[in-house]
Amino acid sequence: MPDQNPGNGVSLSMTPYTGPWTKVEAGHLLRRTMFGPTNQQMLDAVTNGMAATVTALLQIPAIAVPVAFHPDETIAAFGSSWVDSVYPTDPVAAQTVETARLMSLGGWAMDRINSEQLTIAEKMCLFWQNHFAANASLDSRATYDYHMLIRTHALGNFRQFVKDMTINPNMLLFLNGATNTLYSPNENYARELLELFTIGKGPQIGPGDYTNYKEEDVAAAAKIMTGFLVDGLRSDTVTDVTAVFTPILHDTSTKTLSSHFGGATVPDNGANEYADFIDIIFQQDEVANFICRKLYRYFVNYDLTANVESTVIAEMANTLIASNYEVLPVLQELLSSEHFYDISVRGALIKGPLDMLYSMLNGTESAPAFDLATDYEMQLNMYWLADTMGQAYASPPSVAGWPAYYQEPSFSKLWVNATHIKTRFDVSSWMSIYGGIPVNGNNWELDALTFLDNLSDPSVAATVIDDICDVFTPKDVDAVQKLILKAILTNSLPDFEWTLQYNDYLANLGNTAFSDPVKLRVQLVLARLFQMPEFHTI
Amino acid sequence: MKRRNFVKSLALASAGTPILLNEMKIQSIGKKLFDVAGFAEDRVLVIIRLNGGNDGINSVIPIDQYANMTIQRSNVMIPQASALGLTTEVGLHPKMGGMRNMYNDGKLGIIQNVGYPEQNRSHFRSMDIWSSGLIDNPPSTGWLGRQMDVDFPNYPDAYPNTQYPDPFAISMGYETSSTCQGLMANFSHAVNNPFDIYNLASSGVLDDGTYYGSHMDYLATLIDQANAFGAQINDAANAGSTLSTMYDAGNPLAVQLQYVAQMISGGLQSKVYVLNINGFDTHDSQVSAVDSTEGTHAELMKRLSDAIEAFQDDLMLLNLEHKVMGMTFSEFGRQIASNASLGTDHGDAAPLFLFGSCLDIDIMGSNPVIGNTVVNQAGIPMQYDFRDIYASILKDWFGVSSGEVQTLFEHSVTFYPLVTPCGVGINEEDLAKEGALIYPNPATSNATVRFTAGNEWVKIDIFDINSKHIAEVYDGTLSQGRHDIPMKLKGLPAGQYIVQIKKDSGIINEKLSKMK
């Protein structure tokens, strides 16, 4: 833990930030809310100002559905959506199709992250993916629906989100809601709903008493939510997986909650009873504190000091409650606040694997543009690489999410160890200088030339290095390091030689004899930068 | 799925999942390859890959086949008068003067017609076969990596450690060699320039008490750890030396072999070095239209031969010859008949070179028989299975028992006596006569070199690590017995030096560290 005391000279103010608005501050905002901005996006953010940029970020754009690309997908036609398709009747064949659909989902999820759109959408989806940390079910249509539910509510009403998630088929399957019946109550979901999804577990202050709820609440909650089944799994006739309320499996008794909920009673209300219960949970303001802490740790800093708790978190929670649990106003306030731009929190997190991979790719405007199947395969390779480094999207290690987001005291340090850092180096070297990811005879490598061309002034070596550092590092890079990078760019020649080389390339566009040497120099600079600790912080 | 291929090609140190376990049927638990006592302990194998498929007939020329070679490949054929004769029947490409010299010194071995059954003529597939030593099973591990997996089952997690501070193998260049691919990771460390590993100058930012600073510090520590091999390699290169003047800086293979000599002499404990030379896929313009002794292939042969000769010369000067042996390989030879583009197409078996001072063969096997009619696409039939060559090297050079070697391969292994028990059986007293002691070492202003002489002429010189002559210490005749010769070091910059004792009976090189 850093020995810094954020109380000293650190602004904890949630009033709108009014200080300098340069690439440094704009870059901080974009790095925290996206998977790697481009130089141009940073420049645009500077031009548009903080308020307009925050507003623009807080929108969730529409996206395309995942499509069939793998030969094992035998139901949906190649290139068309499978999300409303049936499965083959034969169970073995159905499993084969499911594997193809999972790969489609994986590639699709990565493709969304590999986007240059100015939006907080993907960072929010990952946040909720970590919060409602369910793994994929055995039917990819349900897994897809779960993701779309997250996306729909990403900036929306948290209370409604929890309600919808409670009867989401993927979640019903993952936490045994689908087998929670009058005859055999299953507490799995009930427990996580309280402990991880809404009010959170406080210190144990008595037998079965976790400050915010008691064991008896878990038992009551399980009964409240009895009666939901999941229909259509792997069906060869039904095109959708749905939650079905079955009255005879529902516990119709009146349930009584503990003193932490004012001893409230929940009478039978059939299929809507779970919503009544969630409304009761949300009457406790601790729900707002709980989710705001998580948002803070994800977007600002892992270190929740007493000062931060009493100022920043309290203010965020006030805003959330005042807005009837709408998430957007909270983020609007947070991302515009003096505290968010305080120098003490810049670079305060270590990049997770997905952030590391896609900041590298998005920052260089690199996306695969081959054929459909190849592009999916390439994104899948990224998926697996992130998995190798400890972050498989949609597959968190437990229902609590990834430890780097919650495990004290290390938090984001957990993303890296000596092996992972080596893997990060290998992957970044591969993508920058050793030819990229090979799939079907094509290679996906960083687009060093386009990246260079879009910098502020590509013909000036020092500016190129400044821009590159702005794009990929959270704080000023040491002057000596910049000189080393510049020497790599110019091949240790005088700066004007780089200018001549670049201008020669511009005058001979399309001629690889001129473009290749320029490209190589940039690739070498990038490879080096990706091995500097600065790149791995955010 | 593509995962395995990609992860493998990345040679990730931490390829997460043991995907290949079920494919590995020929694992075994045995004596450690590099843990054997005694003679094999510090032995090194240098492998040079001739990438693209080398034309064996124009490399090792079957002089007794000229009549039919004229029928088969007159446009690429080396004129008989130009071939460098080794015997009356076997010659070398005219650019291979260096390797001819080595042959005459007994330091070059040629194994004729090396291949494998049912030769595959795809570059990729055949290279996989040669690298893995597996034909029927997927080439998911390398032939050396497989043995290393047996020896070091927790690699890479538990390494480096105090017992094994150095990488087990070095791949010169940017890619790790698939010969060293293990189940979980590649056992080789890619080194393009041992003086410049990752070259991560530490960042200016230290832990200044901020969150950022604490993370920078944390990451820098991890990077240091990840770079532990890099630092070892760096240290060895800086501590090592190279003495031959025969390396040509314009010959990339020579430059890389010089680096290898530097690392070995610097004490790096890596057992295998893999090098690569590209360009052997000579479908056209293999030879110059006006002179078949010139052209692409001639240049490659010259580079190969010159580089190996320089390397062997260096090893001799460094007194390391008994520790190092080398081998070339290529994914296939080329067809007997040439094509109309002054080139040759993918073929079958081809000769393989061994080099070093401990060889037990000169030329093994017979010349390929060239027929008097052109048979479409005919290659040279295999006489020796390359896997048996690998197996014999493992057994005789690294001291792995024949039973253990057998477990690494799919076929029933045949062992050939390729290597002499070189350096084995020399008693300690004899060894002492070949050494020298410098004391104190490190030294400041004065040091003494102690050695034995046998009533012979002796010259002692100091060189720096770039082989630059720094000072002459002694030049004259010394009586039989032990001698202590003082050396004045005042004025020498601090650093590593080589004290060379040249006697009629041989050369001794000892390292000297000069301190301020």
Side-chain angles (χ1 to χ4, degrees):
Chain A
M1 294 288 279
D3 41 19
Q4 171 196 46
N5 177 2
N8 293 339
V10 173
S11 172
L12 295 167
S13 170
M14 292 298 280
T15 56
Y17 172 75
T18 53
W21 185 249
T22 68
K23 273 173 94 180
V24 176
E25 293 78 20
H28 173 64
L29 171 64
L30 298 191
R31 269 189 292 277
R32 289 295 176 91
T33 51
M34 297 166 59
F35 287 92
T38 64
N39 190 58
Q40 190 58 47
Q41 283 173 326
M42 293 167 66
L43 292 172
D44 291 346
V46 171
T47 305
N48 297 333
M50 179 189 75
T53 305
V54 170
T55 302
L57 281 165
L58 292 174
Q59 293 174 36
I60 307 291
I63 47 161
V65 291
V67 298
F69 80 93
H70 196 274
D72 285 349
E73 171 63 66
T74 50
I75 304 293
F78 180 86
S80 69
S81 165
W82 50 262
V83 301
D84 294 315
S85 295
V86 297
Y87 279 80
T89 309
D90 173 54
V92 175
Q95 180 55 40
T96 304
V97 166
E98 172 60 14
T99 306
R101 291 179 181 180
L102 266 182
M103 287 195 280
S104 172
L105 263 185
W108 172 77
M110 294 300 100
D111 179 60
R112 282 162 37 195
I113 293 176
N114 188 200
S115 157
E116 283 183 47
Q117 259 184 301
L118 190 91
T119 171
I120 200 172
E122 299 311 330
K123 272 278 165 85
M124 278 316 292
C125 286
L126 180 61
F127 173 81
W128 292 120
Q129 171 74 61
N130 179 66
H131 182 73
F132 295 111
N135 285 348
S137 68
L138 48 80
D139 187 318
S140 281
R141 300 172 305 181
T143 310
Y144 169 76
D145 289 344
Y146 161 81
H147 283 290
M148 290 313 287
L149 180 64
I150 282 177
R151 196 175 181 85
T152 305
H153 288 296
L155 295 171
N157 189 281
F158 182 45
R159 187 195 293 113
Q160 188 59 45
F161 194 178
V162 173
K163 288 179 184 175
D164 290 354
M165 186 56 82
T166 300
I167 56 164
N168 171 270
N170 196 63
M171 186 57 85
L172 284 170
L173 294 166
F174 182 65
L175 290 179
N176 309 106
T179 51
N180 179 25
T181 67
L182 166 66
Y183 306 103
S184 173
N186 187 309
E187 295 181 350
N188 200 1
Y189 183 79
R191 184 174 302 279
E192 308 307 4
L193 174 67
L194 292 165
E195 177 178 338
L196 296 170
F197 298 164
T198 55
I199 199 163
K201 189 180 190 175
Q204 186 160 2
I205 53 175
D209 188 339
Y210 310 109
T211 307
N212 301 325
Y213 62 91
K214 294 183 181 178
E215 281 293 332
E216 61 197 77
D217 297 313
V218 173
K223 288 180 184 171
I224 289 166
M225 296 185 287
T226 48
F228 285 93
L229 301 178
V230 170
D231 188 39
L233 273 183
R234 293 264 179 110
S235 171
D236 59 350
T237 53
V238 180
T239 59
D240 201 9
V241 180
T242 49
V244 180
F245 182 71
T246 310
I248 56 162
L249 297 177
H250 180 65
D251 185 333
T252 56
S253 66
T254 295
K255 298 88 184 174
T256 304
L257 301 175
S258 77
S259 57
H260 293 307
F261 298 98
T265 54
V266 184
D268 177 34
N269 191 16
N272 294 317
E273 196 176 321
Y274 75 93
D276 299 342
F277 173 55
I278 289 167
D279 283 335
I280 292 171
I281 301 175
F282 271 72
Q283 286 167 16
Q284 304 297 319
D285 291 350
E286 182 57 22
V287 175
N289 290 329
F290 183 71
I291 196 67
C292 288
R293 286 185 200 111
K294 270 192 136 170
L295 285 166
Y296 180 84
R297 284 199 156 128
Y298 186 81
F299 283 108
V300 186
N301 189 3
Y302 59 88
D303 194 13
L304 262 178
T305 62
N307 282 339
V308 169
E309 175 76 30
S310 65
T311 54
V312 179
I313 301 299
E315 174 59 25
M316 288 172 72
N318 279 342
T319 303
L320 186 60
I321 293 163
S323 69
N324 192 28
Y325 278 95
E326 291 290 329
V327 170
L328 190 146
V330 176
L331 286 173
Q332 181 124 33
E333 181 183 38
L334 180 68
L335 300 175
S336 309
S337 70
E338 257 190 35
H339 179 64
F340 181 74
Y341 295 97
D342 192 274
I343 190 73
S344 71
V345 300
R346 280 187 231 156
L349 300 169
I350 289 177
K351 279 179 184 168
L354 286 167
D355 225 330
M356 180 262 154
L357 287 172
Y358 282 96
S359 63
M360 182 175 81
L361 295 163
N362 293 341
T364 53
E365 301 171 56
S366 307
F370 304 97
D371 57 88
L372 178 77
T374 303
D375 291 354
Y376 262 89
E377 289 276 7
M378 284 175 169
Q379 296 287 8
L380 261 180
N381 276 314
M382 281 296 156
Y383 180 96
W384 283 319
L385 282 170
D387 181 10
T388 301
M389 294 189 280
Q391 193 173 32
Y393 196 81
S395 187
S398 84
V399 68
W402 284 278
Y405 293 126
Y406 66 83
Q407 188 65 60
E408 300 189 45
S410 298
F411 291 100
S412 66
K413 285 181 185 172
L414 295 172
W415 287 129
V416 280
N417 54 38
T419 305
H420 284 154
I421 200 87
K422 177 76 169 60
T423 308
R424 287 179 175 213
F425 287 3
D426 285 346
V427 173
S428 57
S429 298
W430 193 267
M431 293 305 292
S432 50
I433 46 179
Y434 302 151
I437 292 184
V439 171
N440 299 340
N442 294 302
N443 279 51
W444 179 18
E445 60 177 356
L446 298 188
D447 192 350
L449 270 185
T450 305
F451 171 65
L452 174 69
D453 289 343
N454 291 344
L455 295 181
S456 311
D457 191 349
S459 68
V460 179
T463 311
V464 170
I465 299 303
D466 285 344
D467 279 355
I468 290 178
C469 291
D470 285 347
V471 170
F472 292 110
T473 66
K475 273 188 173 178
D476 266 355
V477 171
D478 176 67
V480 175
Q481 291 294 315
K482 281 194 173 180
L483 281 178
I484 294 172
L485 291 171
K486 187 156 73 68
I488 294 173
L489 183 73
T490 61
N491 211 357
S492 297
L493 295 168
D495 286 5
F496 75 84
E497 295 282 5
W498 166 260
T499 307
L500 293 178
Q501 195 174 1
Y502 185 78
N503 289 339
D504 277 351
Y505 148 70
L506 279 189
N508 295 278
L509 284 178
N511 184 339
T512 53
F514 292 93
S515 60
D516 279 354
V518 170
K519 181 178 165 189
L520 175 64
R521 301 321 303 175
V522 178
Q523 288 173 327
L524 289 169
V525 170
L526 290 172
R528 160 79 188 210
L529 183 86
F530 296 146
Q531 297 189 356
M532 288 165 49
E534 287 90 339
F535 169 70
H536 298 273
T537 57
I538 187 172
Chain B
M1 286 204 261
K2 297 281 186 282
R3 177 186 199 175
R4 179 167 66 81
N5 290 338
F6 177 56
V7 170
K8 197 177 97 176
S9 61
L10 267 179
L12 294 179
S14 62
T17 340
I19 315 149
L20 317 177
L21 283 170
N22 56 350
E23 294 171 12
M24 275 305 307
K25 297 168 187 156
I26 42 180
Q27 272 281 16
S28 79
I29 295 163
K31 194 163 72 170
K32 290 188 190 311
L33 167 58
F34 303 126
D35 212 16
V36 291
F39 71 92
E41 206 165 55
D42 56 353
R43 284 185 166 177
V44 170
L45 175 65
V46 174
I47 299 173
I48 301 174
R49 180 174 82 152
L50 314 181
N51 198 14
N54 180 37
D55 184 16
I57 302 172
N58 272 20
S59 306
V60 177
I61 300 166
I63 293 176
D64 59 359
Q65 303 290 314
Y66 260 98
N68 289 343
M69 280 205 289
T70 311
I71 297 169
Q72 301 264 12
R73 47 162 58 207
S74 61
N75 61 343
V76 302
M77 189 177 72
I78 303 296
Q80 187 166 355
S82 302
L84 304 178
L86 302 180
T87 68
T88 52
E89 292 177 344
V90 179
L92 288 178
H93 190 283
K95 299 291 184 186
M96 297 174 75
M99 286 171 77
R100 192 254 319 260
N101 297 339
M102 291 173 67
Y103 179 86
N104 290 338
D105 290 345
K107 296 176 182 176
L108 180 76
I110 296 170
I111 305 174
Q112 297 269 30
N113 315 314
V114 184
Y116 55 89
E118 295 173 45
Q119 173 73 47
N120 189 301
R121 288 183 176 177
S122 152
H123 287 293
F124 305 97
R125 175 67 186 133
S126 195
M127 191 54 86
D128 282 350
I129 289 172
W130 273 86
S131 300
S132 64
L134 301 174
I135 297 177
D136 300 326
N137 284 278
S140 46
T141 54
W143 67 282
L144 289 161
R146 203 149 55 240
Q147 177 64 40
M148 294 181 196
D149 264 331
V150 173
D151 295 345
F152 313 110
N154 290 326
Y155 186 86
D157 290 348
Y159 300 90
N161 56 41
T162 46
Q163 192 183 358
Y164 300 104
D166 297 339
F168 298 106
I170 300 284
S171 297
M172 296 303 294
Y174 291 111
E175 260 183 83
T176 51
S177 169
S178 29
T179 60
C180 299
Q181 181 66 42
L183 280 173
M184 296 301 289
N186 194 294
F187 281 88
S188 70
H189 191 92
V191 175
N192 194 47
N193 176 346
F195 293 101
D196 184 23
I197 301 291
Y198 271 150
N199 193 19
L200 279 170
S202 62
S203 284
V205 184
L206 295 171
D207 188 354
D208 55 4
T210 64
Y211 300 107
Y212 178 67
S214 76
H215 287 153
M216 292 291 286
D217 191 51
Y218 176 71
L219 287 163
T221 307
L222 289 181
I223 290 167
D224 280 353
Q225 284 175 22
N227 253 349
F229 282 147
Q232 287 292 113
I233 291 163
N234 234 195
D235 289 351
N238 285 319
S241 57
T242 145
L243 299 175
S244 178
T245 55
M246 295 173 71
Y247 292 111
D248 173 4
N251 177 347
L253 184 66
V255 170
Q256 302 241 290
L257 279 170
Q258 189 171 16
Y259 285 147
V260 171
Q262 188 94 24
M263 288 184 274
I264 297 174
S265 73
L268 197 70
Q269 296 299 304
S270 302
K271 294 297 155 196
V272 176
Y273 294 81
V274 189
L275 299 90
N276 185 53
I277 172 168
N278 288 322
F280 285 88
D281 194 21
T282 50
H283 287 286
D284 58 69
S285 311
Q286 174 176 328
V287 300
S288 147
V290 291
D291 180 355
S292 67
T293 67
E294 298 291 342
T296 306
H297 190 250
E299 177 59 26
L300 291 168
M301 287 292 109
K302 179 169 168 51
R303 286 184 177 185
L304 178 72
S305 171
D306 289 357
I308 292 179
E309 187 189 27
F311 181 62
Q312 194 66 43
D313 179 58
D314 208 3
L315 294 175
M316 183 189 70
L317 295 172
L318 292 164
N319 205 15
L320 291 170
E321 269 190 314
H322 60 287
K323 284 178 66 170
V324 183
M325 79 167 280
M327 179 186 83
T328 68
F329 79 98
S330 191
E331 65 265 47
F332 38 63
R334 306 194 79 81
Q335 290 172 20
I336 296 170
S338 59
N339 62 33
S341 316
L342 298 174
T344 51
D345 300 319
H346 303 182
D348 301 332
L352 177 153
F353 297 107
L354 301 180
F355 57 91
S357 61
C358 298
L359 301 180
D360 206 13
I361 58 161
D362 41 26
I363 298 172
M364 185 169 107
S366 51
N367 274 340
V369 176
I370 312 289
N372 60 9
T373 50
V374 173
V375 177
N376 195 25
Q377 296 196 313
I380 301 291
M382 138 197 165
Q383 184 179 3
Y384 296 105
D385 191 314
F386 76 98
R387 296 170 294 178
D388 293 333
I389 309 303
Y390 290 174
S392 304
I393 290 173
L394 285 170
K395 175 172 168 284
D396 287 346
W397 187 244
F398 285 128
V400 184
S401 81
S402 51
E404 289 159 13
V405 170
Q406 177 63 64
T407 64
L408 298 176
F409 295 98
E410 301 159 321
H411 72 305
S412 179
V413 170
T414 304
F415 291 99
Y416 300 104
L418 304 178
V419 184
T420 64
C422 191
V424 179
I426 296 174
N427 70 39
E428 290 301 309
E429 232 173 85
D430 288 341
L431 278 174
K433 281 177 193 162
E434 291 175 12
L437 176 70
I438 295 172
Y439 62 95
N441 192 5
T444 48
S445 54
N446 291 293
T448 303
V449 54
R450 169 180 292 183
F451 58 96
T452 58
N455 197 20
E456 61 189 331
W457 169 78
V458 175
K459 187 171 186 295
I460 304 173
D461 293 282
I462 300 177
F463 295 86
D464 72 9
I465 56 166
N466 298 316
S467 306
K468 191 178 151 213
H469 187 256
I470 300 296
E472 185 186 273
V473 176
Y474 187 82
D475 188 356
T477 304
L478 287 175
S479 59
Q480 174 100 29
R482 198 176 84 185
H483 298 273
D484 287 312
I485 306 290
M487 301 184 287
K488 290 204 185 309
L489 307 175
K490 231 176 192 150
L492 281 186
Q496 296 286 329
Y497 295 88
I498 304 296
V499 177
Q500 185 179 75
I501 303 145
K502 234 185 215 167
K503 303 183 284 187
D504 286 335
S505 55
I507 297 174
I508 301 167
N509 292 294
E510 287 294 336
K511 272 201 293 284
L512 163 67
S513 295
K514 166 76 165 65
M515 299 194 303
K516 280 208 167 108

